[in-house]
């Protein structure tokens, strides 16, 4: 079975920057360990916005500039980057919650032996759930799972709601 790990938006702005939370800070070491221990292909998403973010549909609903390309907030967290330094990985920039490009790339990797796609990252209730459901839609026969111990949501309540939503959509969740 081909194994894939997707590391979603482990960027400074989501950890201890513009939209950071103590829960996000709290998963960094576990996520870094997961990356270091993982044997398989790795994809890393980067939430990526431009300086006109506030003029976008997302910016009008969430008027908190974040992950502006080439700023410190856009960069991967240093601990995560260190864990990735010994690995080969594919970066995927995305300008919205879910990435069709990521789902399409993963779909092309499906083999007769099967495909296992594991997700970790931020935020469980926005970008993680969006990407998980896109991959499940593109590759319905793949084993899709989420390690909830390596995810954090905007709030604990919405993190738990996203986990329950994913379970209802036949996503395996490690808790």
């Amino acid at each position: 079975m081909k194994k894939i790990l997707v590391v979603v938006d482990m960027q400074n702005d989501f950890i201890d920057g513009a939209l950071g939370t103590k829960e996000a800070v709290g998963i960094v070491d576990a996520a870094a360990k997961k990356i270091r221990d993982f044997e398989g292909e790795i994809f890393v998403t980067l939430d990526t916005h431009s300086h006109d973010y506030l003029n976008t549909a997302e910016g009008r609903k969430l008027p908190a500039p974040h992950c502006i390309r080439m700023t410190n907030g856009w960069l991967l967290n240093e601990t995560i980057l260190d864990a990735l330094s010994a690995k080969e990985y594919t970066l995927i920039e995305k300008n919205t919650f879910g990435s069709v490009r990521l789902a399409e790339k993963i779909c092309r990797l499906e083999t007769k032996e099967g495909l296992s796609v594991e997700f970790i990252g931020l935020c469980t209730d926005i970008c993680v759930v969006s990407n998980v459901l896109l991959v499940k839609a593109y590759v319905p026969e793949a084993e899709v799972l989420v390690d909830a111990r390596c995810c954090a949501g905007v709030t604990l309540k919405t993190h738990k709601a996203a986990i329950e939503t994913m379970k209802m959509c036949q996503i395996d969740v490690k808790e």
Side-chain angles (χ1 to χ4, degrees):
M1 177 173 288
K2 183 166 187 64
K3 293 182 161 224
I4 296 171
L5 177 66
V6 180
V7 180
V8 179
D9 299 353
M10 290 296 292
Q11 295 160 268
N12 291 326
D13 268 349
F14 290 124
I15 295 170
D16 57 9
L19 297 174
T21 65
K22 68 180 183 343
E23 291 82 10
V25 170
I27 68 155
V28 170
D29 290 338
K33 181 177 181 351
K34 171 76 72 174
I35 292 164
R36 282 191 299 275
D37 294 347
F38 187 76
E39 297 294 330
E41 193 159 345
I42 299 176
F43 289 89
V44 178
T45 68
L46 290 174
D47 195 44
T48 303
H49 301 292
S50 62
H51 289 283
D52 71 341
Y53 170 77
L54 293 175
N55 296 322
T56 66
E58 180 183 326
R60 287 189 292 276
K61 291 186 185 254
L62 177 64
H66 64 280
C67 298
I68 306 300
R69 182 190 308 276
M70 304 310 290
T71 64
N72 184 62
W74 177 71
L75 298 175
L76 288 170
N77 169 272
E78 205 168 297
T79 302
I80 298 299
L81 197 54
D82 183 61
L84 287 165
S85 68
K87 303 284 187 174
E88 287 188 29
Y89 59 95
T90 302
L91 276 175
I92 306 259
E93 289 186 27
K94 57 185 192 54
N95 64 357
T96 189
F97 308 134
S99 173
V100 169
R101 188 169 154 235
L102 171 69
E104 289 171 343
K105 284 184 174 285
I106 290 172
C107 184
R108 287 188 213 114
L109 297 174
E110 188 173 26
T111 67
K112 290 178 189 170
E113 293 78 35
L115 189 61
S116 174
V117 186
E118 184 170 4
F119 286 81
I120 63 172
L122 302 167
C123 295
T124 318
D125 41 356
I126 301 173
C127 294
V128 173
V129 69
S130 296
N131 284 289
V132 164
L133 294 178
L134 274 169
V135 167
K136 187 66 175 170
Y138 270 73
V139 197
E141 294 303 315
E143 172 187 69
V144 180
L145 51 122
V146 173
D147 189 337
R149 301 164 298 187
C150 297
C151 294
V154 175
T155 68
L156 186 55
K157 180 180 178 182
T158 56
H159 164 80
K160 288 179 178 180
I163 293 298
E164 290 306 311
T165 295
M166 289 186 278
K167 286 178 180 178
M168 291 302 297
C169 293
Q170 301 178 352
I171 307 303
D172 295 322
V173 178
K174 296 179 185 176
E175 294 185 80

